Amino acid sequence: MKLPRRFFQPLAAGAPEPFRELPVKLERMIHFVPPHNEKVRANVGDLAATVDVVLGNLEDAVPADQKEAARKGFIAMGKEVDFAKTGTGLWTRINALNSPWILDDLFEVVGEIGNKLDVIMVPKVEGPWDIHYIDQLLAQLEARHKVEKPILVHAILETAEGVANVDAIASASPRMHGMSLGPADLAASRSMKTTRVGGGHPEYRVIADARGEEARASAQQDLWHYTIAKMVDACAANGIKAFYGPFGDFSDAAACEVQFRNAFLMGCAGAWTLHPSQVTIAKKVFAPDPDEVNFAARIVEAMPDGTGAVMLDGKMQDDATWKQAKVIVDLARLVADKDPELAKVYKLP
């Protein structure tokens, strides 16, 4: 275990000092873009103004013979678009650590656009050792290419071993940005009997107790509830962010919205969006309800220092509810800065 005094030291001479706290950013959706697709890449400039994060995907969904084209396309995208102008994050998902493409991904991307890159998403992270490898290598590349701010690392939980080691992964490095649920690969790793990418399953149910001849009520359950809760706890305990991953059925907007909302209520900061229709859903779900915001703002205003107790609308509010209200108000401020329409309805102090 790295000693506390050394935890925030750069891992290479000349590398930028790690962040002590995560930069405060709105990340309601991580929007995946296939950089090897020239038609899609041509629209990224306009897309950047409508999403919180643009991620150039180099891993799954990119054919083996298109890996180099995807990497070069992402680098071109990073050079051509001014993401900072719209406050949009620029991320990439690199290939897995056991793949033949990982080193070229890191060497070329950091070398060409390291100063524009915010986060590297690492697939199939199984333990802190994977983060330590990426951490050291990124520091060396940052030093070599004079990158001015540290590039953060985001882990995808998509193996049983990764879920078992989730706490150690979350605390592995000050470079950690957060984690996302990867349901498809995780299902395969666990030998789960589903081909769905995210969401519930009609056969995963609970049934009411038998009462004579009365029909027994039954309800579909969420296959991912346990994993999301475990991931959120690990992230919250270490001051990093949790995200819901992909929802694969683009045709079922209602189910996507419910899955995103469950993740939001449990503590996730955002979700992946794989289709433009899901961006609208993420904007709706991962922004607090105006009535909730306005009541939370009243709590914060009534208890400026967060101590004591007050009565609002017949309900007692104390330091615990003040903390809840502060979470909502802080998120609302970020959303209002990005979305002028919501800024009009949020009554913030």
Side-chain angles (χ1 to χ4, degrees), residues 225-244:
H225 184 88
Y226 157 78
T227 308
I228 293 172
K230 190 171 183 179
M231 176 181 69
V232 167
D233 281 346
C235 289
N238 287 280
I240 62 178
K241 294 182 177 183
F243 291 78
Y244 189 80

Side-chain angles (χ1 to χ4, degrees), residues 31-37 40-45 47-48 54-58 70-83 89-92 113 116-117:
H31 191 66
F32 276 56
V33 170
H36 60 294
N37 186 319
V40 173
R41 197 171 68 238
N43 295 321
V44 167
L47 172 71
V54 170
L55 180 144
N57 182 27
L58 308 183
R71 189 185 310 123
K72 292 186 182 306
F74 176 68
I75 291 169
M77 190 174 83
K79 290 180 176 179
E80 292 164 5
V81 179
D82 187 354
F83 292 94
L90 177 62
W91 297 21
T92 186
I113 56 170
K116 298 190 73 174
L117 188 63

Side-chain angles (χ1 to χ4, degrees), residues 78 90 94 116 134 151 170 187 190 207 215 245 255 258 262 313 317 321:
L90 177 62
I94 59 173
K116 298 190 73 174
I134 291 289
I151 299 167
R190 286 174 168 168
I207 190 169
V258 167
N262 289 348
D313 301 341
Q317 311 296 333
T321 52

Side-chain angles (χ1 to χ4, degrees), residues 116-137:
K116 298 190 73 174
L117 188 63
D118 294 300
V119 177
I120 284 177
M121 183 180 280
V122 184
K124 301 172 182 66
V125 173
E126 301 210 306
W129 50 86
D130 289 336
I131 302 301
H132 296 160
Y133 173 78
I134 291 289
D135 194 3
Q136 183 76 70
L137 189 51

Side-chain angles (χ1 to χ4, degrees), residues 158 182-189 194 196-198 224 246:
E158 44 191 345
D185 280 292
L186 181 54
S189 174
T194 177
R196 297 180 173 214
V197 179
W224 309 108

